[in-house]
Amino acid sequence: MDKAVRAFRQQHPSVNLVSILSLSLPELSKKIQDGSLPPEHVFYAYVGKALQIARETNCITEYMQESETQLQHTKPGEKKGLLYGVPVSIKDSINCQGHDSMLGFVKNIDKPVAEDSVLVQVLKRQGAIPFVKTNVPQSLISYDCNNLIFGQTCNPLLYTRTPGGSSGGEGALIGGGGSILGFGTDLGGSLRFPAAFCGICALKPTGNRLSKKGVISGIFGQKSVTAAVGPMAKDVESLALCMRALLCEDMFNLDSTVPPLPFNEEVYSSTQPLRIGYYETDFFTMPSPAMRRAVRETKQLLEEAGHTLVPFELTNVDYSVYNFCFGGMFADGGVTFLKNFEGELEKGNLGVLFWLAKSPNWIKTLLSWITKPFVPRLSNVIRSLRANTVEELWSLHHEIEESCHQFIAQWKKLNLDVMLCPMLGPALLIGYPAKLSVAVSYTMLYNSLDFPVGVVPVTLATDEDEKELKNYQGYFQDWWDRALATAFSSAEGMPVAVQCVALPWQEELCLRFMKEVEMLVTKKNMIV
């Protein structure tokens, strides 16, 4: 990367790379399309910036050198896709032909994949240039970003904080300005944690709105919790442009399991007032003062803009977390998850989970019973990791379906369009996500329900939030609650986001709501 950038700068010393990096994706795309900005200038501006951010945060795993060749093949006058000439970054677990998809496992080194994932194929057909792959936590089942091959990725805004995970390399690279558009996956918040922690936007679509063919999963075959692939960018308009480009005939032809639903422009561009449900807490993970304030301030801005805000009462989140999320992901007792680690250095950063997955059912049952009076949450987590019979798994799937129908019925009863929810934040200290698996409750609920959900940064943590945090006890006052209070601390100035949720297959409405939140927050900040 260094060599390529130096060669370009020698040949084009007068090109203003900083002005290129300051453009939003829609602005950049327009200039490339109308010929006023050569794709070559854009490409090397981002290669240079990506290299700088990689040195600062350790976010890149591989430079795709063939991107330089692809760049040379972008001919003037040819039919241009919507992402023509746009350099894009790709999460390690999304297959790119000729490159490893390592997932932080040593055994996957030097095993280049034979074919691009459908996502990457469509991106290329739309003119985008995938140029780097980015770091992930070992196995993907984590919201930190650390593995034994590449080490720890840091948050570009504050190096002592995690960038989130598992799409943490993407969050760090885009948050630092080294990529204008990136792609990750989300099984429990893996797009949303990095976006929220690094101060950018992300969209987790409904599980099958975008193709997952050629995208490697952390737990093969698991169907209880729905994973999704989605975009990350600095602003909502960039995400919308990306979805317009991806929801095309190529996507539907290359993967016929994806419903042929083109981007609904009418829904996205509507200005009708919205009826918005909201809640400040899920009564399982106590929100930090900054999280609660983020929802309240956003609610007020939306009401002042003429939207209707309706309180939504969440129930049984603890049951969902233990039984649907943890119980669903590890319904085989953790056997599939463990297989990933065969022949690996078993350290990882998954500690207790790893040990429990190796234990037989009777030990899990015994431990669950022993810990129940002292640490009820740990007791429930241990119980949720028991191996299920086929009958039990089918029963679980039925329960998950029923729970989804009940949630939608409550939504419809209130006649809601969308929902405003808290998002975990500010960014936790490095190393803490591994100790705080229970804090995925705010995000993983929407993987279990399979609803589209986006993240928009709305505020920064303040000194006042920090003072209030001293009184943080959590709902259970257990070790996890105490650890979370520590993990949140000393984060003044770090971004805090909200989640914007819509019903299944309504990504355009979700983006429309995100755009509204983003616009109102930007307007408020300009006045301040």
Side-chain angles (χ1 to χ4, degrees), residues 110-174:
D110 287 335
K111 293 206 177 141
V113 300
E115 191 181 26
D116 281 332
S117 57
V118 166
L119 177 80
V120 170
Q121 288 181 56
V122 176
L123 283 168
K124 286 179 177 176
R125 291 187 189 193
Q126 285 288 355
I129 304 171
F131 76 115
V132 286
K133 292 200 83 176
T134 55
N135 205 20
V136 295
Q138 189 179 29
S139 84
L140 306 183
I141 311 299
S142 165
Y143 63 103
D144 205 339
C145 192
N146 178 27
N147 62 65
L148 301 167
I149 304 167
F150 296 101
Q152 176 73 48
T153 299
C154 304
N155 191 306
L157 308 175
L158 188 59
Y159 300 155
T160 56
R161 321 302 287 200
T162 175
S166 60
S167 314
E170 283 300 318
L173 185 61
I174 299 164

Side-chain angles (χ1 to χ4, degrees), residues 132-418:
V132 286
K133 292 200 83 176
T134 55
N135 205 20
V136 295
Q138 189 179 29
S139 84
L140 306 183
I141 311 299
S142 165
Y143 63 103
D144 205 339
C145 192
N146 178 27
N147 62 65
L148 301 167
I149 304 167
F150 296 101
Q152 176 73 48
T153 299
C154 304
N155 191 306
L157 308 175
L158 188 59
Y159 300 155
T160 56
R161 321 302 287 200
T162 175
S166 60
S167 314
E170 283 300 318
L173 185 61
I174 299 164
S179 171
I180 199 164
L181 178 65
F183 296 87
T185 59
D186 189 311
L187 178 66
S190 289
L191 283 159
R192 289 164 285 162
F193 285 118
F197 289 3
C198 298
I200 60 172
C201 299
L203 174 70
K204 179 206 83 68
T206 312
N208 215 34
R209 188 78 198 259
L210 297 176
S211 174
K212 291 180 278 192
K213 193 176 174 203
V215 177
I216 311 296
S217 162
I219 303 176
F220 280 104
Q222 174 290 119
K223 299 271 187 185
S224 308
V225 185
T226 309
V229 64
M232 302 166 80
K234 284 268 190 184
D235 56 70
V236 180
E237 199 59 64
S238 301
L239 299 178
L241 174 59
C242 169
M243 291 300 281
R244 264 186 215 110
L246 290 176
L247 296 171
C248 62
E249 283 303 315
D250 285 327
M251 174 71 75
F252 313 138
N253 289 334
L254 289 165
D255 185 352
S256 299
T257 67
V258 172
L261 297 170
F263 190 83
N264 189 326
E265 211 62 61
E266 193 183 334
V267 171
Y268 178 64
S269 56
S270 166
T271 54
Q272 289 293 313
L274 294 166
R275 192 170 164 86
I276 304 163
Y278 75 95
Y279 55 88
E280 290 181 12
T281 177
D282 64 4
F283 297 104
F284 182 76
T285 304
M286 184 178 276
S288 66
M291 285 167 70
R292 207 180 276 272
R293 182 173 58 78
V295 173
R296 283 179 184 167
E297 288 178 2
T298 307
K299 170 188 175 277
Q300 190 181 338
L301 289 174
L302 288 161
E303 282 177 329
E304 286 166 1
H307 302 284
T308 306
L309 276 288
V310 183
F312 188 94
E313 200 176 318
L314 270 191
T315 53
N316 298 331
V317 169
D318 54 347
Y319 188 86
S320 289
V321 170
Y322 302 136
N323 295 282
F324 302 163
C325 300
F326 295 164
M329 270 175 63
F330 301 105
D332 63 350
V335 173
T336 304
F337 171 71
L338 271 181
K339 269 187 190 162
N340 290 330
F341 290 85
E342 283 174 8
E344 292 290 319
L345 292 163
E346 289 184 353
K347 290 201 315 240
N349 57 1
L350 298 153
V352 178
L353 175 61
F354 202 86
W355 181 82
L356 278 170
K358 281 184 158 179
S359 306
N361 264 6
W362 69 267
I363 286 187
K364 292 172 190 169
T365 305
L366 181 65
L367 278 174
S368 175
W369 181 76
I370 292 168
T371 52
K372 191 158 194 176
F374 314 106
V375 199
R377 280 207 289 185
L378 178 61
S379 169
N380 282 308
V381 168
I382 294 168
R383 187 176 50 79
S384 71
L385 298 177
R386 289 177 68 255
N388 286 256
T389 62
V390 174
E391 187 184 2
E392 286 168 334
L393 181 61
W394 286 355
S395 171
L396 175 68
H397 286 171
H398 176 67
E399 238 188 302
I400 290 169
E401 278 175 19
E402 286 301 306
S403 149
C404 182
H405 291 315
Q406 282 166 17
F407 196 96
I408 291 170
Q410 188 182 346
W411 181 298
K412 301 264 186 181
K413 194 177 176 185
L414 295 170
N415 196 25
L416 303 179
D417 296 308
V418 286

